[in-house]
Amino acid sequence: MKKFFSLVAALAFAFAANATDYYFAGAANGWSNNTTKFEQVEGVLTVAFDNFSGEFKITTGSWHPQWGAQQQGDKIKLGEPYVLAKCNDTEEQPEADVPNLGVELAEGKHYENAKLTLTEEGDNLVVTLVAGTLVDNAPDPEWYLTGESVGWNEKAKGFELVEGVLTVEVEDFYGEFKVTKGSWHPQWGAQQAGDKIKLGEPYVLAKCNDTEEQPEADVPNLGVELEENYRYKNAKLTLTIGESEEVTITLVAGTLYDHSEVPATYQLVGACTNNWSTTDAIQFEPVEGVLTAVVPDLNGTFKIIQDRGWANQWATNWETGAGLELGEPYTLGAKDGNNEPKNLSLANPFGGYKNAVLTLEVGETMVLTLVSGEFYKTEADWFIPGTWNGWKCDETAKFTAVEGKENTYEFLVAEFGGDFKVVYGNWAVEFGQNAEGDVWEVGKSYLMTYPAAGNGNLHNADDAARFVDVTITIEVDYEKAEVNLLITSEGTGVENLVNSELKAYKTIENGQIVIYKNNKKYNVLGAEL
C-alpha cells in the first residue's frame, strides 16, 4: 500500500503543470478544445498545421475561459500580430462566448505548413500567423469510408481520384464498415447482414431505402473476410459508380498479418478526446512500469479501448454502475459479446479534472485509477440533439437560460419530433430515458436521469409525428444530477407541415443566435431587436 501511494505522489509531481497551458480550438483541428497544445519552440509558444484555414479560438483546455476576435468577422493576416479578446464571464452570464477569429484568405485558398505563435503581453494574449504558404484548396471528397478501422465518422476517410479511380488507402484495415457521401443518409453497406468482402472480388453495395415513414433506414455493415486475429496492412480500396448510382467497392491490395503478435495498446476515448475520435484517443504509456495516461481535461463520459478500435472496450462496472472517484481503484466492466458497458463518468458528472493522471492495470480484470488532477466544476451549455436535427450538438440545438429562473433553460424550435437526448456540453454528459421504452408526450413533464437507461434516447410514441412551434423547457438539479423536461407545442403531431403556420423558430445570423416569435425578432436574452 505504501509503495502504491509513493507511486501516486511521484506521478502527481511528474505531471504537475508549472504554467498555464494554452490550446488551439478551431476548424483546423475539428474544434477540439484540449488536444492541440501550444508548445515551447525556442522560447515561444507555437503550434503548427500542415493545412490551416477557417475560424478558431484559444482555450486552456476547456471552453471557459476562451479568447477570440475583438469583433465579429475579424481575421488575422500573415505576419501581423492580433490582440485577442477574452470572454467576460460573470455570475449573470457565466458562459459569455467571444466571436471566433478568422483567417484572411482568398477564396479557394488555404495555408500549408502554417505556424502560429502565442505571446502573453501584460493581461493580453497575442496570436500571430508567422509562417504559411498559400495554396489552392483540394476539392472535398464526394465519397467516404467509415468503420472500425478508420473511425465511425460519416466523413472518416475520403476517397480520392487516383488515375481516374476513386481510391482510399487504410494503414490497418479490418472489421466492419460502410460508405457515405459525407452524412449518414444516404449510406451504403452490405446486401445482407454478415456479408464480407474478399481481396480482389468486387462487391455491389446496398443503398439504404430512406422513406417518409422511415427516414433513417440503416443498411447492415459490411465486413472483411479475414481469419481470426488477422488484418490487412496498407490496404487499398476502390469505388466505382455505375448507372443509377450503383456503387461497387473492391479491396484491390493489402498485406495480411497476424495482429495477435503485435503488443496490445490501450487508449482512453470520450467526449474529451475530440468527441469520441479514436484517432485522438489518449494512449496509456508505461511510466515506471505502470501504464499511465495524462488527459488535459477529463470530463463527461469515456471508455477504455484496445488498439484504437471498438472490438474490446471497458467502462462502467456492470454490477455497481458507479462513477470514477479520485484515488479509488475502479474495476471496469468489459464488453460481453454484443453487450457493451455503459460509458464511464466521474462520480460527479458536473465536475472535471485538468491534467488528470490515470493508471491502468491490465489483466483478467481491468482496473482504472484516477491518480491526480485539478478538480473544477464544469461550465457548459445545454443542448437537445436528436433525429430532428441529425443528432448535431451545436448552436442549432442550444438551450438559453430563462431570466429570473435559476437553473431553468428554454429552447424554441419551429418543428420537432422523434428521438433525442439532453446533453450538457458537447456530448460530455448525456441525460435520457429512465427505463428502456419510455416515451415523451407533449404537455407532460418527464424526469431524465443520468446515466440514462438503454441507449439513452428518449422516444416519441409516434416516430412520424412532428410538432410545430415547440417550446422545450428543462429544470436542472445539479446536486442530484436530474433534468425535469417539459415539451409544449402550438400544434399537434402532423405528418405534413407544408401548410402549417410556424410562429417561432431559432436561427443564427452573423454568428449570433436570433429567435423569431410571432413575427418579432429577439436575442437570446429575450430583448427585442
Side-chain angles (χ1 to χ4, degrees):
M1 183 62 72
K2 183 177 180 181
K3 183 177 179 181
F4 171 77
F5 283 107
S6 297
L7 175 61
V8 168
L11 289 170
F13 177 80
F15 293 102
N18 295 318
T20 301
D21 291 328
Y22 294 104
Y23 295 83
F24 175 99
N29 75 336
W31 288 100
S32 170
N33 62 13
N34 58 24
T35 57
T36 307
K37 183 180 174 182
F38 282 85
E39 302 285 0
Q40 290 281 353
V41 178
E42 297 180 355
V44 180
L45 289 171
T46 306
V47 69
F49 292 97
D50 293 336
N51 296 287
F52 180 63
S53 63
E55 296 182 329
F56 67 95
K57 290 179 178 177
I58 306 299
T59 78
T60 57
S62 63
W63 286 118
H64 289 272
Q66 61 178 242
W67 291 260
Q70 296 282 351
Q71 293 183 335
Q72 187 76 36
D74 279 5
K75 297 180 180 181
I76 61 169
K77 299 178 182 179
L78 183 65
E80 297 186 13
Y82 183 94
V83 179
L84 295 163
K86 184 179 180 181
C87 60
N88 183 29
D89 294 342
T90 63
E91 289 186 6
E92 294 74 23
Q93 195 173 2
E95 298 173 4
D97 290 351
V98 290
N100 299 334
L101 181 58
V103 185
E104 187 74 29
L105 287 168
E107 186 175 355
K109 300 280 188 178
H110 71 277
Y111 282 109
E112 273 190 355
N113 303 317
K115 185 183 295 183
L116 293 93
T117 61
L118 195 67
T119 56
E120 295 177 320
E121 298 184 6
D123 294 333
N124 295 323
L125 278 183
V126 178
V127 67
T128 308
L129 177 61
V130 296
T133 303
L134 269 179
V135 296
D136 291 329
N137 293 341
D140 289 336
E142 184 181 4
W143 297 87
Y144 295 85
L145 182 75
T146 176
E148 288 184 61
S149 57
V150 293
W152 287 103
N153 181 296
E154 61 264 43
K155 288 186 176 181
K157 199 166 183 66
F159 285 84
E160 305 286 353
L161 276 175
V162 178
E163 297 180 356
V165 180
L166 287 169
T167 305
V168 67
E169 296 185 2
V170 183
E171 184 178 347
D172 191 26
F173 185 55
Y174 63 95
E176 298 183 333
F177 65 93
K178 287 179 179 177
V179 170
T180 76
K181 295 188 76 174
S183 63
W184 286 117
H185 289 273
Q187 61 179 242
W188 288 259
Q191 297 281 349
Q192 293 182 337
D195 280 4
K196 298 180 180 180
I197 60 169
K198 299 179 182 179
L199 183 66
E201 297 185 13
Y203 183 95
V204 179
L205 295 168
K207 182 181 179 181
C208 60
N209 183 28
D210 295 341
T211 63
E212 289 187 6
E213 294 74 24
Q214 195 172 2
E216 298 181 356
D218 291 349
V219 290
N221 299 334
L222 181 59
V224 187
E225 186 73 32
L226 288 167
E227 293 184 19
E228 188 176 358
N229 295 326
Y230 276 79
R231 297 182 178 185
Y232 281 108
K233 187 182 294 291
N234 301 322
K236 183 184 295 184
L237 298 98
T238 62
L239 207 64
T240 57
I241 315 302
E243 296 182 3
S244 302
E245 243 182 21
E246 181 181 88
V247 181
T248 302
I249 193 166
T250 308
L251 175 60
V252 296
T255 303
L256 278 172
Y257 76 99
D258 186 352
H259 183 69
S260 64
E261 296 179 357
V262 179
T265 61
Y266 300 92
Q267 299 82 29
L268 182 143
V269 63
C272 58
T273 62
N274 198 10
N275 199 18
W276 293 91
S277 166
T278 55
T279 302
D280 296 321
I282 297 173
Q283 182 104 346
F284 283 86
E285 302 284 2
V287 176
E288 298 184 7
V290 179
L291 285 177
T292 306
V294 182
V295 183
D297 187 4
L298 181 66
N299 63 78
T301 60
F302 46 90
K303 285 183 175 181
I304 306 302
I305 57 174
Q306 181 178 321
D307 300 329
R308 298 191 183 275
W310 297 104
N312 296 310
Q313 55 182 261
W314 298 263
T316 301
N317 185 287
W318 287 104
E319 295 180 1
T320 67
L324 182 67
E325 296 186 53
L326 181 67
E328 297 290 334
Y330 185 95
T331 301
L332 297 164
K335 181 179 178 181
D336 182 13
N338 292 325
N339 297 320
E340 298 182 359
K342 290 181 180 178
N343 301 339
L344 180 60
S345 66
L346 299 171
N348 182 346
F350 296 111
Y353 287 90
K354 292 284 186 68
N355 303 314
V357 179
L358 299 103
T359 60
L360 183 67
E361 298 176 34
V362 177
E364 289 187 11
T365 58
M366 304 281 277
V367 178
L368 181 70
T369 305
L370 174 57
V371 173
S372 66
E374 305 157 26
F375 181 78
Y376 67 96
K377 181 182 180 297
T378 55
E379 298 291 346
D381 294 316
W382 287 94
F383 300 89
I384 185 163
T387 54
W388 71 275
N389 76 335
W391 292 99
K392 294 176 183 176
C393 195
D394 58 15
E395 292 290 330
T396 65
K398 182 178 171 181
F399 284 91
T400 56
V402 176
E403 190 174 359
K405 293 186 177 181
E406 188 177 7
N407 301 333
T408 302
Y409 309 86
E410 187 178 70
F411 177 70
L412 307 179
V413 64
E415 176 188 340
F416 188 80
D419 295 5
F420 65 89
K421 289 179 180 176
V422 170
V423 176
Y424 185 68
N426 187 14
W427 291 109
V429 182
E430 303 172 17
F431 287 79
Q433 58 185 355
N434 287 319
E436 291 196 58
D438 281 2
V439 298
W440 62 269
E441 297 180 43
V442 169
K444 291 187 177 181
S445 61
Y446 184 89
L447 188 64
M448 306 183 80
T449 59
Y450 177 87
N455 68 4
N457 299 343
L458 190 56
H459 310 279
N460 182 250
D462 182 359
D463 287 338
R466 294 295 179 267
F467 299 86
V468 296
D469 295 340
V470 173
T471 299
I472 304 171
T473 306
I474 57 172
E475 296 178 359
V476 182
D477 187 325
Y478 286 97
E479 290 186 7
K480 294 181 179 179
E482 294 177 345
V483 171
N484 194 48
L485 170 88
L486 177 64
I487 300 176
T488 59
S489 170
E490 296 288 339
T492 57
V494 293
E495 294 186 13
N496 183 0
L497 296 175
V498 175
N499 297 318
S500 298
E501 181 183 356
L502 305 181
K503 299 177 183 177
Y505 65 94
K506 183 177 182 182
T507 186
I508 297 177
E509 295 181 0
N510 299 320
Q512 302 296 320
I513 300 175
V514 175
I515 299 169
Y516 286 89
K517 190 168 184 178
N518 296 328
N519 298 318
K520 292 184 179 181
K521 182 177 177 180
Y522 302 88
N523 64 17
V524 293
L525 299 178
E528 187 173 351
L529 301 174

